[in-house]
Structure formats: structure tokens, C-alpha cells
């Protein structure tokens, strides 16, 4: 078994066929999980816990969780928005339970702080009433807060028409969670190949004979290294019995490289800018969300908290053609401030500024979070016509909350 230090720093070349681990004649490992975000980490950890297996996590960056998993609101969602018969609802509810219990067991920083969904008029009150009715249908607790109680608990928050509280919503330190998942995966004997972008995947007999996975790696450049034009690249191929595509923003292009043209999908990227607040007041102790708008690609410019109690707002939503467009966009700031002041009127506008950007992988442009004809569910399936391949596409919110439940589903698809 490789040491953790080696496992965390090696390229895929370290794990070539010479170290053959499994009963497959030409296989180097049992499972190859592509993508080291929170979902890929959870899947790799889940699979490596099986007896007699070997799992490698292949990540193109130099550390885990550098994309969507570390650029979000870090909210533990309750599962209130996605439709009764959807994977997003079932996996969010199950994932929430697993996440709270895992965080408590392993001392991962988190807080069950709850969430308010606030309404300012009769139309918004009708919207949150629908959320309440749906929550009863799926067995997730919500309740209305009286105006007197709301004023006592959060005097800085405006809710002219009503407040719906979600007591099982919370926040988690996503970085600490990923550090735990990474360490636990390695402790179970798993291996991670960093700096290993996948450049080709070839099924052997449609996957019945395993999967050839090729990476082309350029070592990280140091000050004494050759200039980029002289950089030596390394191409490495390993064979795995199974393939799990959990590549997040790169998942659809990766899937398209395997599937025939008739089954290709277009990738869509929803860019969201988050805003910081530099003053200490007002500072609610509860997450504050505006009433949902059916058909929108987000949940509005909401107020969330980090584990230190600091406020952040967002994200807004704009569509981009680039999966690496991380430059904050201040053009939406005034509109965001107008939204924020509807529920937090005492905010000092000059103390709010663009902070960081997250990008969500979407299965459709304009795809809705809440209902509407544009809603797209998670795609977590064994692809028809192929053996041993689980494809995960459109894994956006509530992906962080659902991560441990998604891992269970992937294991079930492979083994049950």
C-alpha cells in the first residue's frame, strides 16, 4: 500500500499496470472515479469501504474540491424545492441525514441554524405556502413563524407577509468535510492521482472487459523548471473494472467523448457571484431566503452564514460559455442590493462587495431550480449499452448536501 503522502502527490503514472490489483486480467484497479469534488470524494470513499477492492480517484487539479465544491453557499439543504419524485429531493433528504450524523460523529464543523423563507406580499406568501404544503407531502418539517416571534428573533429582517421556517436547514464547512472524506478514503487504502487530466477513455468490449483511462500530465512548474514551451508531458493509461464519471463541470464533455453522437448533451454553465459584507450589523443568526420564483435558475439573492457567523449574499445567476469564468461580475451588484434590502432594509449598501464566483454545471440553459418546465433532475445512471459505467451529470445544488447519499446510489447501481 502506498503511503498517504505518495498517494496525495502522485500522477496517474504511479498506478500503471505493473501494480495490478484486481482479478481482471488486465485491470489495474476495481474502481476509477474521475473528479475530486465532494461528490467524487464521497463516492470513492464509499466504494473503497467494500472488501477486496481498489479505488483510484483521478483529479486534474493539485488538490481536491477546487471548483464547484469550494465555491458555493455551504448550505445543508432541507429538500424543499425539487419535486416529489426527483432524485434531487430523495438524495437531498437522505444526504442531509447522513451529513448531519457524519459531521457530529467526526467533529466536522457544521451548524443546524435553520432557514427562513420570507414573503413581502400576498403573491410571495402564496409561494411559501406552496413550499409548506410540499414539505408536508415529502415529510420535511417546516412551520410558519408569527410576526411577533419573527420580530423578537430577528428584528433586522423584514417579512411583511410571512415567514416560513425550515428547522433542518444548516451550514457545513465544506473544506473540512472534503478534508475528512479525503483522509478517510486514503486511510481505507484508496489512492488519489492529482495533476492528472483525463484525455481519453476507451471501453473494452463496451466496458465488459474494463475501461482504459488515459491522462496527459504536465508537471507543476517551479521557478527553476523549463519554460512552458519546453515542458515535458507524460501520457499514462490504466485499466479499471468500472468507471465513475463525477467530473462536475467537465462531466458532460467527458461523457460525450464516450457516447455516440446521437447521445451527446450540451454543457451549460450558470455563473453566480457571491457578495461579502464588511460591517458587523445587521447580522441575523438564521439563513434568509426570499420566496422562490418558479422557473428561475436560482433561489434568489439569499443571505447565508459561514461557520464564523460572517454574512454573505448570493449567488446571482448569469449564463457563461466558460467553465472557468471565475471573475466576479459587479454589474449585477445594484440589482442584488435591491433584492437584499427587501428583507434586510438596514444593510449598508456601500459595505457590500463582489467576493467570489461559483459555477454550476447545468443540463439545460435556463433550467429551473423550482418547478417549471425547465427543471432538470440529477442524472446518475448506468449508461445503456455499457458495462460498469456510472455517469453523473448536472450535479449542482443540492449536490453538497446529497453527496453521501449520491455515493450510496452509485454503489447500489454497481453492486445491487
Amino acid at each position: 500500500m502506498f503511503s498517504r503522502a505518495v498517494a496525495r502527490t502522485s500522477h496517474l503514472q504511479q498506478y500503471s499496470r505493473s501494480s495490478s490489483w484486481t482479478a481482471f486480467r488486465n485491470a489495474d484497479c476495481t474502481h476509477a472515479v474521475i473528479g475530486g469534488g465532494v461528490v467524487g470524494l464521497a463516492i470513492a470513499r464509499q466504494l473503497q469501504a467494500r472488501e477486496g477492492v481498489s479505488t483510484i480517484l483521478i483529479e486534474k487539479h493539485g488538490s481536491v474540491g477546487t471548483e464547484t465544491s469550494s465555491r458555493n453557499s455551504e448550505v445543508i439543504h432541507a429538500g424543499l424545492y425539487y419535486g416529489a419524485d426527483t432524485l434531487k429531493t430523495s438524495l437531498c433528504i437522505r444526504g442531509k441525514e447522513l451529513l448531519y450524523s457524519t459531521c457530529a460523529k467526526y467533529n466536522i464543523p457544521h451548524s443546524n441554524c435553520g432557514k427562513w423563507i420570507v414573503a413581502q406580499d400576498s403573491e410571495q406568501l402564496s409561494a411559501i405556502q406552496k413550499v409548506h404544503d410540499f414539505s408536508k407531502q415529502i415529510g420535511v418539517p417546516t412551520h410558519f413563524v408569527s410576526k411577533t416571534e419573527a420580530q423578537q428573533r430577528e428584528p433586522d429582517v423584514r417579512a411583511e407577509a410571512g415567514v416560513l421556517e425550515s428547522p433542518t436547514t444548516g451550514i457545513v464547512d465544506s473544506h473540512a468535510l472534503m478534508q475528512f472524506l479525503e483522509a478517510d478514503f486514503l486511510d481505507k487504502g484508496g489512492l488519489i492521482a492529482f495533476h492528472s487530466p483525463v484525455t481519453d477513455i476507451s471501453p473494452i468490449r463496451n466496458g465488459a472487459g474494463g475501461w482504459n483511462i488515459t491522462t496527459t500530465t504536465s508537471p507543476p512548474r517551479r521557478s527553476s523548471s523549463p519554460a512552458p514551451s519546453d515542458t515535458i508531458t507524460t501520457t499514462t493509461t490504466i485499466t479499471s473494472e468500472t468507471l465513475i464519471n463525477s467530473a462536475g463541470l467537465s462531466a458532460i464533455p467527458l461523457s460525450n467523448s464516450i457516447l455516440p453522437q446521437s447521445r451527446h448533451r450540451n454543457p451549460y454553465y450558470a455563473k453566480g457571484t457571491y457578495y461579502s459584507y464588511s460591517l458587523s450589523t445587521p447580522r441575523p443568526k438564521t439563513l434568509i431566503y426570499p420566496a422562490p420564483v418558479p422557473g428561475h435558475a436560482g433561489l434568489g439573492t439569499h443571505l447565508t452564514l459561514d461557520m464564523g457567523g460572517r454574512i454573505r449574499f448570493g449567488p446571482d445567476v448569469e449564463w457563461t460559455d466558460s467553465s472557468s469564468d471565475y471573475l466576479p461580475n459587479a454589474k449585477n451588484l445594484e440589482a442584488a442590493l435591491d433584492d437584499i434590502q427587501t428583507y434586510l432594509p438596514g444593510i449598508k449598501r456601500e459595505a457590500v462587495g463582489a467576493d467570489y464566483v461559483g459555477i454550476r454545471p447545468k443540463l439545460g440553459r435556463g433550467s429551473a431550480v423550482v418547478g417549471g418546465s425547465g427543471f432538470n433532475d440529477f442524472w446518475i445512471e448506468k449508461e445503456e449499452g455499457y458495462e460498469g459505467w456510472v455517469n453523473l451529470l448536472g450535479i449542482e445544488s443540492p449536490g453538497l448536501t446529497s453527496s453521501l447519499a449520491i455515493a450510496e446510489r452509485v454503489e447500489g447501481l454497481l453492486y445491487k
Side-chain angles (χ1 to χ4, degrees):
M1 183 184 299
F2 294 93
S3 71
R4 182 182 299 180
V6 172
R8 291 197 76 260
T9 58
S10 296
H11 307 310
L12 191 66
Q13 188 178 28
Q14 181 81 38
Y15 317 118
S16 60
R17 189 165 292 122
S18 61
S19 60
S20 183
W21 298 330
T22 71
F24 264 47
R25 180 170 297 174
N26 294 312
D28 297 303
C29 59
T30 315
H31 311 116
V33 180
I34 300 174
V38 66
V39 172
L41 283 164
I43 292 167
R45 170 179 175 262
Q46 183 84 18
L47 294 176
Q48 185 58 29
R50 296 183 66 85
E51 185 175 356
V53 305
S54 53
T55 305
I56 186 167
L57 180 64
I58 302 172
E59 168 55 45
K60 67 181 178 181
H61 297 294
S63 59
V64 300
T66 61
E67 295 183 353
T68 306
S69 296
S70 60
R71 294 171 171 269
N72 55 70
S73 300
E74 298 185 301
V75 172
I76 302 174
H77 289 285
L80 301 176
Y81 299 111
Y82 315 108
D85 300 319
T86 66
L87 282 179
K88 284 187 176 180
T89 291
S90 61
L91 294 175
C92 183
I93 293 172
R94 171 63 177 161
K96 173 182 60 176
E97 297 169 354
L98 291 171
L99 192 52
Y100 275 128
S101 62
T102 299
C103 288
K105 182 176 180 179
Y106 295 103
N107 297 315
I108 299 167
H110 69 290
S111 173
N112 184 189
C113 57
K115 174 176 82 173
W116 283 8
I117 311 173
V118 297
Q120 309 300 340
D121 55 36
S122 59
E123 184 178 358
Q124 292 183 6
L125 180 60
S126 177
I128 66 174
Q129 179 65 56
K130 289 177 181 177
V131 173
H132 181 53
D133 294 342
F134 177 66
S135 73
K136 291 188 288 186
Q137 180 185 346
I138 60 174
V140 173
T142 60
H143 59 266
F144 283 95
V145 178
S146 71
K147 198 160 189 175
T148 299
E149 181 184 351
Q151 184 63 29
Q152 290 173 343
R153 289 174 55 187
E154 296 288 2
D156 295 317
V157 174
R158 174 194 286 158
E160 295 293 337
V163 173
L164 183 68
E165 182 165 30
S166 168
T168 61
T169 300
I171 54 175
V172 63
D173 184 334
S174 61
H175 299 276
L177 173 63
M178 289 188 285
Q179 288 171 358
F180 162 74
L181 294 173
E182 178 184 10
D184 201 42
F185 169 60
L186 295 173
D187 286 344
K188 287 178 168 63
L191 297 168
I192 304 178
F194 288 115
H195 301 293
S196 297
V198 174
T199 51
D200 184 73
I201 299 176
S202 301
I204 303 169
R205 300 193 310 277
N206 288 332
W211 295 81
N212 285 329
I213 303 164
T214 300
T215 66
T216 301
T217 301
S218 297
R221 187 174 176 235
R222 299 180 177 85
S223 58
S224 59
S225 298
S229 60
D230 300 325
T231 297
I232 299 172
T233 61
T234 301
T235 298
T236 305
T237 300
I238 66 163
T239 302
S240 175
E241 295 178 20
T242 65
L243 171 71
I244 297 90
N245 174 17
S246 183
L249 296 170
S250 301
I252 289 178
L254 197 65
S255 175
N256 289 347
S257 74
I258 303 169
L259 291 170
Q261 179 73 37
S262 61
R263 294 167 65 180
H264 284 191
R265 296 173 180 262
N266 292 323
Y268 298 91
Y269 307 111
K271 174 181 176 179
T273 297
Y274 291 82
Y275 304 95
S276 62
Y277 188 58
S278 61
L279 299 180
S280 59
T281 59
R283 182 147 296 180
K285 300 179 290 297
T286 307
L287 310 184
I288 311 296
Y289 280 55
V293 178
H296 280 208
L299 293 175
T301 307
H302 45 268
L303 180 157
T304 59
L305 307 168
D306 66 15
M307 291 306 301
R310 290 177 292 272
I311 285 177
R312 53 190 164 194
F313 300 102
D316 57 16
V317 177
E318 60 179 306
W319 296 95
T320 178
D321 294 327
S322 172
S323 62
S324 57
D325 181 11
Y326 290 117
L327 183 66
N329 194 341
K331 73 176 184 180
N332 297 325
L333 176 58
E334 289 303 311
L337 286 168
D338 291 343
D339 289 343
I340 293 164
Q341 282 197 305
T342 62
Y343 62 79
L344 202 66
I347 197 81
K348 303 299 183 185
R349 295 174 74 100
E350 65 275 12
V352 180
D355 191 1
Y356 64 96
V357 165
I359 301 176
R360 295 182 180 185
K362 293 274 192 177
L363 290 173
R365 189 176 180 87
S367 55
V369 172
V370 184
S373 60
F375 175 79
N376 283 298
D377 203 0
F378 290 153
W379 177 268
I380 307 172
E381 303 290 344
K382 292 182 73 175
E383 288 290 350
E384 183 179 355
Y386 298 86
E387 295 293 327
W389 175 20
V390 179
N391 212 11
L392 294 92
L393 308 176
I395 309 301
E396 49 154 340
S397 181
L400 174 63
T401 305
S402 305
S403 57
L404 300 178
I406 291 173
E408 288 184 335
R409 176 174 171 81
V410 170
E411 182 183 24
L413 288 171
L414 288 174
Y415 288 101
K416 296 174 184 176

